[in-house]
């Protein structure tokens, strides 16, 4: 058994989609051929898909966040043609120590589009498409290297864009799927606005209309990769660190101290004392895990690495599956005075250090690559129709 109370997962146990394409309906086959033949037309807007919703205007980010990409994905390099990149540096210049993260935003794993019928290259719900929407983002993040616990939390439930960044460079988005009015992902809704989980691939992510691949739930491929590599193996039962929130606190997988599945305090199945607060984190000093006084957890089960959409998926009792509010301060808010410190967020003896990213490809990159063959053709070729 692994350090995190989970059995190491072998790629041989979870073949990638070239061998696990779901059976396609005849109507879906016709739609797939039609979509590929008609790529000169603009896809119909559908508010159900985050892909189709216009994001906020791009531009350089402030000192507390990532630089925003320009509107649209015209001219961007497809992630399928480049390697994932991630680097960290600790800066001691200025008033506060900061952690500077640079990434191209490309996942280091499978990202073929699913659950977006009618979009060229994408499959229907439960079906693999022929292409990935993910494109390079040239992301740059600056967060506090010595985070603080703020006097008041900052709600980010429906804040668009990145609220955290994974160690493979992929952004974490919050729970919002529509913003006027605010509506969160409904993991128990099968169809309609709010059922965005139907477009999550088996690595637990998907891309926006500007090509930014991101997660809303525990990233199955990244967590499995870290578990298999025995990262953060000093504390029995605890999930590995998988990223950083933009307030500077670390983010872990779904298991807390002694392997307890982290859930929001008070919901069914939550531990009575070791549980998530309303922000999705847990305040305590855990010397065997880290030297922070607070940390976030991605709640919910880890996907099986083969199901489309990702399965098993969280329940609504697992929400927030990613951060719902900042316990600390972003660099911009801390510098401007908009966020004030209540107490230190790090333990005695803490020294900020740059982490190495997770950029080695997880899986078979050749098998996971986009193909010119239609989804229908692939399904018939493998005898699954």
């Amino acid at each position: 058994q692994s350090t995190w109370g989970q059995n190491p997962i072998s790629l041989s146990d979870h073949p990638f989609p070239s061998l696990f394409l779901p059976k396609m309906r005849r109507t879906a086959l016709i739609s797939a051929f039609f979509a590929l033949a008609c790529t000169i037309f603009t896809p119909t807007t559908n508010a159900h898909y985050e892909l189709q919703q216009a994001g906020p205007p791009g531009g350089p980010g402030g000192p507390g966040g990532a630089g925003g990409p320009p509107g649209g994905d015209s001219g961007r390099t497809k992630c399928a043609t480049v390697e994932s990149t991630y680097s960290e540096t600790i800066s001691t210049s200025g008033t506060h120590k900061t952690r500077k993260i640079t990434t191209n935003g490309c996942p280091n794993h499978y990202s073929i589009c699913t659950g977006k019928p009618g979009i060229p290259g994408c499959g229907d719900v439960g079906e693999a498409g022929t292409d990935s929407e993910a494109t390079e983002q040239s992301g740059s993040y600056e967060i506090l290297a010595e985070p603080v616990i703020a006097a008041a939390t900052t709600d980010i439930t429906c804040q668009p864009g990145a609220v955290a960044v994974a160690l493979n460079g992929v952004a974490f988005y919050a729970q919002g799927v529509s913003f006027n009015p605010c509506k969160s992902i409904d993991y128990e809704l099968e169809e309609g606005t709010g059922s965005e989980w139907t477009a999550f691939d088996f690595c637990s992510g998907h891309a926006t209309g500007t090509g930014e691949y991101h997660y809303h739930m525990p990233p199955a491929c990244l967590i499995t990769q870290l578990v298999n590599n025995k990262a953060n193996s000093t504390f029995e039962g605890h999930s590995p660190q998988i990223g950083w929130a933009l307030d500077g606190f670390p983010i872990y997988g779904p298991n807390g101290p002694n392997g307890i599945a982290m859930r929001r305090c008070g919901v069914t199945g939550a531990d009575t004392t070791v549980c998530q607060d309303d922000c999705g984190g847990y305040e305590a000093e855990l010397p065997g895990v880290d030297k922070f006084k607070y940390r976030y957890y991605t709640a919910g089960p880890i996907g099986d690495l083969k199901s489309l959409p990702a399965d098993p998926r969280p329940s609504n009792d697992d929400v927030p599956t990613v951060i719902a509010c900042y316990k600390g301060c972003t660099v911009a808010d801390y510098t401007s005075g908009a966020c004030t410190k209540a107490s230190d967020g790090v333990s005695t003896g803490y020294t900020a250090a740059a982490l190495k990213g997770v950029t080695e490809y997880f899986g078979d990159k050749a098998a996971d690559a986009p193909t010119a063959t239609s989804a229908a053709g692939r399904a018939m070729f493998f005898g699954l129709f």
Side-chain angles (χ1 to χ4, degrees):
Q1 191 175 33
S2 77
T3 306
W4 297 278
Q6 301 160 340
N7 290 325
I9 299 174
S10 169
L11 292 182
S12 62
D13 296 333
H14 300 287
F16 281 71
S18 59
L19 296 180
F20 264 96
L21 287 174
K23 186 173 182 178
M24 301 182 68
R25 301 186 300 273
R26 282 178 166 78
T27 53
L29 291 176
I30 295 171
S31 297
F33 278 122
F34 181 81
L36 289 172
C38 300
T39 54
I40 59 172
F41 295 106
T42 302
T44 302
T45 299
N46 184 336
H48 166 52
Y49 299 115
E50 185 179 70
L51 167 76
Q52 302 301 337
Q53 297 172 349
D73 61 2
S74 177
R76 294 193 180 191
T77 302
K78 286 276 192 178
C79 285
T81 65
V82 297
E83 301 294 327
S84 173
T85 65
Y86 180 98
S87 65
E88 288 187 17
T89 57
I90 304 297
S91 174
T92 57
S93 62
T95 308
H96 319 293
K97 282 185 180 180
T98 58
R99 184 182 308 274
K100 296 185 177 181
I101 300 170
T102 303
T103 171
N104 63 4
C106 288
N108 66 327
H109 54 64
Y110 175 86
S111 63
I112 298 297
C113 183
T114 183
K116 298 179 181 179
I119 307 302
C122 293
D124 205 338
V125 175
E127 298 169 355
T130 59
D131 201 1
S132 171
E133 297 177 295
T135 59
E136 281 192 296
Q137 299 298 305
S138 300
S140 179
Y141 302 85
E142 185 176 24
I143 63 178
L144 290 178
E146 297 175 338
V148 299
I149 293 175
T153 60
T154 302
D155 180 43
I156 55 171
T157 303
C158 272
Q159 176 176 303
V163 298
V165 58
L167 295 180
N168 60 1
V170 171
F172 282 101
Y173 279 21
Q175 301 301 300
V177 293
S178 61
F179 308 105
N180 189 23
C182 175
K183 186 175 181 63
S184 296
I185 295 175
D186 186 337
Y187 287 103
E188 295 166 16
L189 181 66
E190 296 295 329
E191 185 175 354
T193 302
S195 61
E196 187 162 319
W197 61 269
T198 58
F200 295 166
D201 61 42
F202 64 68
C203 285
S204 312
H206 69 162
T208 66
T210 57
E212 184 171 33
Y213 189 88
H214 60 280
Y215 308 118
H216 292 274
M217 59 185 277
C221 290
L222 176 60
I223 292 174
T224 299
Q225 184 175 21
L226 288 168
V227 168
N228 286 350
N229 291 344
K230 301 189 184 305
N232 300 0
S233 60
T234 58
F235 196 67
E236 183 68 30
H238 201 283
S239 287
Q241 182 181 350
I242 58 175
W244 297 102
L246 297 192
D247 63 358
F249 286 111
I251 302 178
Y252 291 87
N255 292 349
N258 300 315
I260 293 172
M262 298 299 288
R263 306 190 86 183
R264 194 171 70 254
C265 298
V267 305
T268 301
D271 189 84
T272 55
T273 55
V274 180
C275 50
Q276 291 175 298
D277 60 20
D278 289 340
C279 290
Y282 177 61
E283 185 174 351
E285 293 192 55
L286 301 176
V289 176
D290 57 35
K291 291 188 176 180
F292 295 93
K293 295 182 179 180
Y294 188 85
R295 63 213 47 82
Y296 299 98
Y297 293 88
T298 53
I302 297 172
D304 62 11
L305 308 188
K306 63 182 180 182
S307 295
L308 296 175
D311 189 71
R313 66 179 185 271
S315 72
N316 286 343
D317 280 345
D318 291 315
V319 175
T321 52
V322 181
I323 306 166
C325 53
Y326 288 137
K327 185 74 169 181
C329 302
T330 64
V331 170
D333 286 349
Y334 196 43
T335 302
S336 70
C339 184
T340 57
K341 171 183 172 180
S343 60
D344 290 335
V346 297
S347 302
T348 302
Y350 167 82
T351 301
L355 298 186
K356 182 180 179 181
V358 183
T359 57
E360 180 183 359
Y361 194 81
F362 177 75
D364 185 337
K365 190 167 187 176
D368 295 346
T371 173
T373 307
S374 70
R378 289 176 67 184
M380 289 190 294
F381 177 79
F382 286 107
L384 299 175
F385 175 61

